[in-house]
Amino acid sequence: MLRWPHPRKRLRSEEAPLAGSEKAAFGDVHIFLVERKMGRSRRSFLTQLARSKGFVVEDVLSDAVTHVVSEDGEASSLWAWLKDHSRSDLSRMHVLDISWFTDSMKEKRPVAVETKHLIQDVLPEVSTPTSAAAVSQYACQRRTTTENHNKNLTDAFEVLAENYEFNGMEGQCLAFRRAASVLKSLSWEVRSSERVHELPCLGETMEELVEEILQYGRSFEVNKILSDERYQTLKLFTSVFGVGLKTAEKWYRRGLRTFPDVLEEPSIHLNRMQQSGFLHYGDISRAVSKAEAQALGSIIDEAVHAITPDGTLTLTGGFRRGKDFGHDVDFIVTTPERGQEERLLTSIIQHLKQQGILLFSDYQSSSFDMSKLPSHRFEAMDHFAKCFLILRLEGREVEGGLCRAEGDSRDWRAVRVDLVSPPPDRFAFTLLGWTGSRQFERDLRRFARLERRMLLDNHALFDKTKKEFLAATTEKDIFAHLGLEYIEPWQRNA
Ligand code: UTP
Ligand code: MN
């Protein structure tokens, strides 16, 4: 069984300033050298050596230790010794082979912890496939399929997260999203709140919430939110394409509660996107099926090849993660000729228009500029040329027919489609960024920043220690740069 190391619990929050001094980041690593097998004199020599290079080496195995280094090749005896000699939470430390130490001395900085450095605990058999203590706090170190064994819990957590978002409480919102994501990754059903105790990202209040749901089948707090007028209204308004939280709040404050309220209010001016959002609301608020996504793929692929034989269309977003339904369909379009990506996208839009299937298009030209990277605004949208479309999809194009609303006799439906067109050398970063899920992306970036001193976004990966960009032609290259095991797209449903 694989045992994921827990990085040390950090007091630093997600919103902590990015620009930490080099020294402080270095000081985050507290090494403890295990004397067993190493011997006293060699231990003292290695301690001196590390300290002379600016490393923090602890004499005792306390809570401050982040990296335990041993020359004992026998994992079981080492772990037994560690458990006997420490009252600290070992799951929060990296337990490493001497190779990590020698590599770090060579590089004069703590190198990224990789699987090859780990001395893994040989865990006794546990009753569940994944022990709770083995779950990483980072979604990018978990494998999360579309199969959710704890939907009753994650649904409740997501309502709370959304309500915090609606009330501008970003920190709380993120905490609940993170906790929901941990629960989604479990290959077992949580049946007692005690099991939750061992999980990362779930605090005491969350444990109580789990207990309440397990005991009563519902949560008082969640039910209160679901019947709250403000929550219901904001949820309704933000479900319209082009309506964000700010607009929804403005309408709510003006006393508007329903779509007719909004549409009949003479002083409200809807922008083009919102007009289309209301016009096609029934269709685009209904899930898109896999068969419908495939049909759209063929239509757009045909458009791409009508323009250039070298162009490629790649499915991304939720459907690439193996989801059966989505709220839209996301594609990346590329051409090997540098600088032609914008023309390709505008030509595709033109082609779809000529076919009479373009119901709406919002095209955003590229503002990508490699010289302005790395960006510290990693949560922001990327700068590539892209378009948000609504397309008309005919029933005859879809294998097995359309996903239609009851009583709808039309033989077509409107579907939301996003296209993004990066320069060819940025493809791997775009693919990784657009495949999602949102939580997976957030944690990839957080992991890169906090564990590796690297900045990752949809454009590039920047190593702050080496002060250089790391090249990648595939997603695997990016995972390797980050010292992460590769996670397949269908395991990224965090
Ligand atoms: P979506 O919002 O389409 O989500 O964004 P999804 O995972 O496909 O889920 P459904 O099924 O449509 O609801 C897909 C990914 O693209 C990224 C998002 O962060 C998300 O991870 N994205 C989207 C960008 O990176 N930039 C954008 O401009 C838009
Ligand atoms: Mn999508």
Side-chain angles (χ1 to χ4, degrees), residues 450-463:
L450 299 179
E451 304 295 330
R452 302 293 188 247
R453 285 183 41 80
M454 291 182 186
L455 294 173
L456 172 70
D457 62 16
N458 288 5
H459 314 102
L461 178 63
F462 183 74
D463 185 326

Side-chain angles (χ1 to χ4, degrees), residues 311-330:
T312 28
L313 183 73
T314 309
L315 177 70
T316 177
F319 285 108
R320 181 163 182 252
R321 301 197 308 273
K323 277 175 55 172
D324 290 325
F325 293 95
H327 98 283
D328 67 355
V329 196
D330 309 283

Side-chain angles (χ1 to χ4, degrees), residues 409-428:
S409 59
R410 289 173 313 154
D411 57 356
W412 68 275
R413 68 165 289 186
V415 190
R416 277 267 304 110
V417 172
D418 288 347
L419 304 179
V420 60
S421 187
D425 62 331
R426 303 291 108 203
F427 177 76

Side-chain angles (χ1 to χ4, degrees), residues 233 237 250-258 261-262 265 268:
T233 312
F237 289 167
K250 199 169 71 191
W251 292 349
Y252 179 80
R253 275 199 303 273
R254 292 176 61 174
L256 310 175
R257 297 292 180 264
T258 64
D261 285 355
V262 173
E265 173 58 50
I268 284 185

Side-chain angles (χ1 to χ4, degrees), residues 30 75 82 155 171 182 186 191 203 242 265 332 381 396 432:
H30 288 233
L82 286 173
D155 283 353
V182 167
L186 302 177
R191 290 216 185 86
E265 173 58 50
I332 304 176
M381 286 238 264
R396 63 183 141 75
L432 181 60

Side-chain angles (χ1 to χ4, degrees), residues 8 26-34 38 43 46-47 49-51 53-70 93-98 100-105 108-111 113:
R8 198 161 73 94
F26 213 96
D28 270 2
V29 172
H30 288 233
I31 301 172
F32 174 79
L33 296 166
V34 180
M38 188 181 282
R43 180 181 186 228
L46 293 178
T47 302
L49 176 75
R51 285 184 180 151
K53 290 179 193 277
F55 286 82
V56 180
V57 184
E58 300 283 340
D59 291 320
V60 288
L61 185 52
S62 68
D63 273 333
V65 172
T66 57
H67 294 60
V68 175
V69 174
S70 169
M93 301 172 190
H94 297 293
V95 177
L96 305 164
D97 180 79
I98 191 77
W100 175 83
F101 184 87
T102 35
D103 288 355
S104 298
M105 291 305 114
K108 299 191 181 66
R109 64 174 179 93
V111 298
V113 171

